[in-house]
């Protein structure tokens, strides 16, 4: 009905005003105390618009600035001079409100806004006094060593929330740890350590003139170097415990040594960090043997009281000549494969790319800056600025995961993978070869960097309220086992239509990992290229050209190429595999098998649960508080109003 007030009745309007007052009051409390300024916004009666400048001068303001939006002029009257008295604004406001030309007056309180992308280390609330901390750009990047400011692991936010890795044990599976190092000794977990190279409980590195066995000690410092002891730098999780598992320093590796190392004390060790794998020569196709596979499976199913051991793996240092999907450790579903970026966001020259990489951390800078390496502990009580490679990247990730485990000790091994997908950031990472793309559910990924650089602050915040993901299921989506010829100059295209086991107990509706188990032989294995496209249109590069791989006999025998790029997608529909050759010479081959394996959940792991809860929690908590305040305010006001009317 025309002419009726929007709130219906006079009492309704009064209640609405009371509600608005309560809202404004609450908003002010939530934002903190405002800064008093002399900035005032005034709305004039239409007949007084031409008098705006005169009105400003009369009331002691310098000028009028009309806003470029809104209905009718809304003059902004800046102060004539800087504020001198706290009560100057109220007096001016009172005089303005009494002016017959003025409809309303609104003061402009000041509040804080900060520039993003640049951070001054001296202005951050990071109380670290260790001498190399200012050089640990991967922790807090302010542009040191020609780096890109803000491109780091965002550990400062996690530390600021009180998470430092306390109560978490990380095992460094390597060539030993200098556990007498003064920056490691206080955090060393002797009970969880062992030397499988010498079969004793003392995994101290074997001495060599070239310090070849410094690798494990450097990795350990990245994770658990103590804080504020005036020695070297600080670990990502500087209150975590570090265990040494010496297993690399012998003339050869055996399945039993690997299996024993990976399964050592799984109820005490939370995270296993491995910066090793098959030879990164661009020719090798290798992975864990039978006992190690059994140990890994046992770890993810029974470790940490059934929550699962967390295996962190460096993706490899073979550069563009290699493909980390040919490394069966890095491409395992049971590991979290970590690649590296340099301090300006570009790819390192040694980075391998593949579709199984989940996320990235940092290694050294590409420029010859002596401080562009990873600063950490070194043998015999020394420090170094020259640690590098994906060897450096994996321990950094282990440290971030330790922070997340402190925030929520109930996280499972799969929870940690989901958190990595959801909280990793593109930030300022730049891949000159592979573009950033979005998969079928909108998750952004890159063929080299995975889902981006780990964000410690984001991960601990999401971890704190995380709900364990639903049960995991496995579905053999389909298999093609006929021989199909592959010729240079063309591409073999095969399809599998699947319902993802719908209607069965092992139905997979939301994807986690996808495996393409492939048997293929070629006249030159290194020239093979394999791509796979999901029903939702996401293309994964399962195998890139490896120019140094001259194999013409072995090929790939039931090799499980893995992709994480279809995470969260609906797998039902048509999957397409394309196989061809890339290279200067003509090649031929035969694909004998393609079996599609789907792994994931039947119910939404977080689309309907965690993500929505996480994104809205703060807003919802404020809303609930606001609703309580409003209820109380309305009740008080209504009682007061009724008592006066009576």
């Amino acid at each position: 009905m025309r002419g009726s007030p929007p709130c219906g009745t006079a009492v309704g309007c009064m209640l609405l005003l009371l509600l608005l007052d309560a809202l404004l009051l609450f908003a002010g409390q939530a934002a903190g105390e405002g800064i008093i300024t002399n900035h005032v916004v005034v709305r004039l009666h239409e007949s007084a618009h031409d008098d705006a400048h005169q009105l400003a001068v009369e009331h002691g303001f310098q000028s009028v600035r009309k806003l470029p939006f809104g209905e009718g002029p809304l003059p902004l009257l800046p102060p004539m001079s800087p504020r001198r008295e706290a009560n100057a604004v109220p007096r001016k406001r009172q005089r303005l409100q009494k002016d017959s030309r003025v409809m309303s007056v609104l003061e402009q309180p000041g509040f804080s806004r900060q520039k993003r992308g640049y951070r001054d280390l001296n202005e951050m609330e990071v109380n670290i006094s260790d001498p190399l901390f200012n050089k640990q750009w991967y922790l807090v990047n302010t542009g040191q060593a020609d780096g890109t400011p803000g491109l780091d692991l965002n550990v400062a936010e996690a530390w600021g929330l009180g998470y430092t890795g306390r109560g978490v044990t990380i095992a460094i599976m390597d060539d030993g740890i200098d556990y007498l190092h003064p920056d490691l000794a206080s955090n060393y977990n002797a009970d969880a350590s062992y030397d499988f190279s010498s079969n004793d409980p003392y995994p101290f590195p074997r001495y060599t003139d070239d310090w070849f066995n410094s690798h494990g000690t450097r990795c350990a410092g990245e994770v658990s170097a103590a804080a504020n002891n005036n020695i070297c730098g600080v670990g990502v999780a500087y209150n975590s415990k570090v265990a040494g598992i010496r297993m690399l320093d012998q003339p050869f590796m055996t399945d039993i040594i690997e299996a024993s190392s990976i399964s050592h004390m799984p109820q005490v060790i939370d995270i296993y960090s491995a910066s090793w794998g098959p030879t990164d020569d661009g020719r090798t196709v290798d992975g864990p043997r039978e006992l190690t596979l059994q140990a890994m499976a046992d770890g993810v199913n029974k470790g940490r009281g059934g929550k699962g051991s967390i295996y962190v793996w460096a993706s490899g240092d073979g550069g563009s000549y290699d493909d980390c999907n040919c490394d069966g450790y890095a491409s395992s579903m049971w590991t979290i494969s970590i690649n590296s970026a340099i301090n300006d966001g570009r790819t390192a020259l040694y980075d391998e790319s593949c579709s199984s990489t989940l996320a990235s951390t940092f290694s050294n800078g590409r420029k010859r800056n002596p401080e562009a390496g990873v600063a950490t502990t070194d043998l015999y009580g020394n420090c170094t600025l020259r640690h590098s490679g994906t060897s450096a990247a994996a321990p950094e990730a282990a440290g971030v995961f330790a922070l997340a485990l402190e925030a929520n000790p109930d996280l499972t091994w799969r929870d940690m993978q989901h958190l990595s997908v959801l909280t990793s950031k593109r930030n300022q990472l730049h891949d000159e070869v592979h573009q950033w793309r979005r998969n079928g559910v909108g998750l952004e990924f890159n063929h080299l960097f995975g889902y981006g650089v780990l964000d410690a602050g984001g991960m601990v915040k999401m971890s704190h309220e995380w709900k364990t993901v639903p049960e995991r299921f496995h579905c053999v989506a389909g298999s093609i086992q006929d021989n199909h010829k592959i010729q240079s100059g063309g591409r073999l295209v095969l399809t599998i239509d699947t319902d993802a086991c719908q209607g069965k107990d092992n139905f997979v509706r939301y994807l986690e990992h996808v495996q393409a188990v492939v048997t293929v032989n070629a006249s030159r294995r290194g020239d093979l290229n394999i791509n796979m496209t999901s029903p939702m249109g996401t293309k994964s590069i399962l195998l890139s050209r490896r120019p140094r791989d001259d194999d013409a006999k072995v090929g790939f025998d039931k090799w499980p190429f893995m992709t994480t790029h279809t995470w969260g997608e609906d797998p039902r529909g048509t999957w397409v595999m394309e196989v061809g050759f890339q290279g200067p010479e003509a090649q031929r081959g035969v694909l004998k098998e393609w079996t599609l394996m789907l792994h994931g959940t039947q119910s939404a792991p977080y689309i309907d649960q965690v993500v929505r809860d996480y994104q809205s929690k703060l807003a919802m908590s404020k809303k609930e508080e606001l609703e309580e305040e409003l209820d109380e305010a309305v009740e008080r006001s209504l009682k007061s109003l009724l008592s006066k009317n009576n």
Side-chain angles (χ1 to χ4, degrees), residues 606-622:
Y606 44 74
I607 295 171
D608 299 330
Q609 299 176 40
V610 180
V611 169
R612 184 171 60 193
D613 291 348
Y614 171 69
Q615 292 177 339
S616 64
K617 180 170 178 56
L618 289 178
M620 289 300 296
S621 64
K622 291 179 181 178

Side-chain angles (χ1 to χ4, degrees), residues 409-462:
D410 292 328
L411 295 175
T412 68
W413 69 280
R414 288 173 52 233
D415 290 334
M416 197 66 77
Q417 296 199 4
H418 280 270
L419 286 165
S420 298
V421 170
L422 291 175
T423 63
S424 294
K425 302 289 193 302
R426 177 177 177 175
N427 200 311
Q428 300 173 74
L429 300 182
H430 176 63
D431 182 358
E432 298 170 356
V433 178
H434 304 287
Q435 298 297 314
W436 285 86
R437 295 180 292 148
R438 293 189 181 274
N439 71 6
V441 293
L443 294 170
E444 191 175 33
F445 69 93
N446 174 270
H447 183 61
L448 187 142
F449 291 125
Y451 286 94
V453 64
L454 291 177
D455 183 322
M459 185 170 281
V460 298
K461 287 189 292 186
M462 188 174 280

Side-chain angles (χ1 to χ4, degrees), residues 457-537:
M459 185 170 281
V460 298
K461 287 189 292 186
M462 188 174 280
S463 297
H464 190 263
E465 299 297 331
W466 185 261
K467 299 175 184 177
T468 298
V469 293
E471 183 180 358
R472 187 171 185 255
F473 295 93
H474 316 272
C475 170
V476 179
S479 184
I480 295 175
Q481 299 191 7
D482 299 325
N483 289 351
H484 292 81
K485 292 183 179 180
I486 313 164
Q487 300 285 348
S488 290
R491 298 189 70 79
L492 171 65
V493 179
L494 301 174
T495 61
I496 290 178
D497 294 315
T498 181
D499 62 1
C501 301
Q502 187 170 2
K504 301 177 182 178
D505 291 341
N506 59 331
F507 172 46
V508 175
R509 169 61 181 83
Y510 299 93
L511 285 174
E512 292 176 1
H513 308 89
V514 176
Q515 291 174 305
V517 181
V518 173
T519 298
V520 61
N521 293 94
S523 55
R524 191 174 192 280
R525 184 174 63 184
D527 286 355
L528 277 170
N529 175 256
I530 305 175
N531 298 324
M532 186 171 67
T533 304
S534 73
M536 298 189 76

Side-chain angles (χ1 to χ4, degrees), residues 19 31 139 148 173 177 182 191 280 321 326 351 385 456-457 468 484 517 555 572 594 602 636:
L19 285 170
L139 300 181
T148 299
M173 300 188 295
I177 290 181
D191 293 336
D280 293 320
Y321 296 106
C326 295
D351 280 341
L385 294 174
T468 298
H484 292 81
V517 181
R572 293 172 293 182
W594 169 33
Q602 294 178 1
R636 290 195 303 269

Side-chain angles (χ1 to χ4, degrees), residues 288-366:
R289 306 297 199 272
E290 182 180 358
L291 294 177
T292 302
L293 285 172
Q294 292 178 10
M296 281 187 174
D298 198 65
V300 297
N301 285 301
K302 300 178 182 178
R304 296 175 55 240
K307 295 186 288 289
S309 301
I310 297 167
Y311 298 111
V312 185
W313 228 274
S315 62
D317 291 339
S320 60
Y321 296 106
D322 213 341
D323 187 298
C324 42
N325 249 346
C326 295
D327 176 342
Y329 300 88
S331 64
S332 170
M333 297 181 299
W334 298 324
T335 68
I336 300 178
S337 180
I338 299 295
N339 211 335
S340 71
I342 61 175
N343 64 346
D344 64 4
R346 292 180 296 166
T347 62
L349 296 178
Y350 44 74
D351 280 341
E352 295 182 35
S353 59
C354 64
S355 57
S356 58
T357 297
L358 203 64
S360 299
T361 55
F362 298 99
S363 53
N364 53 296
R366 192 178 291 181

Side-chain angles (χ1 to χ4, degrees), residues 36-40 59-61 77 79-96 105 107:
I36 298 175
T37 75
N38 272 352
H39 289 242
V40 179
H59 288 278
F61 289 90
L77 308 180
M80 178 76 77
S81 59
R83 172 174 54 92
R84 292 191 180 94
E85 301 178 7
N87 59 354
V89 172
R91 288 202 304 267
K92 289 185 177 181
R93 178 177 178 176
Q94 290 174 2
R95 289 197 299 267
L96 280 167
V105 180
E107 294 178 18

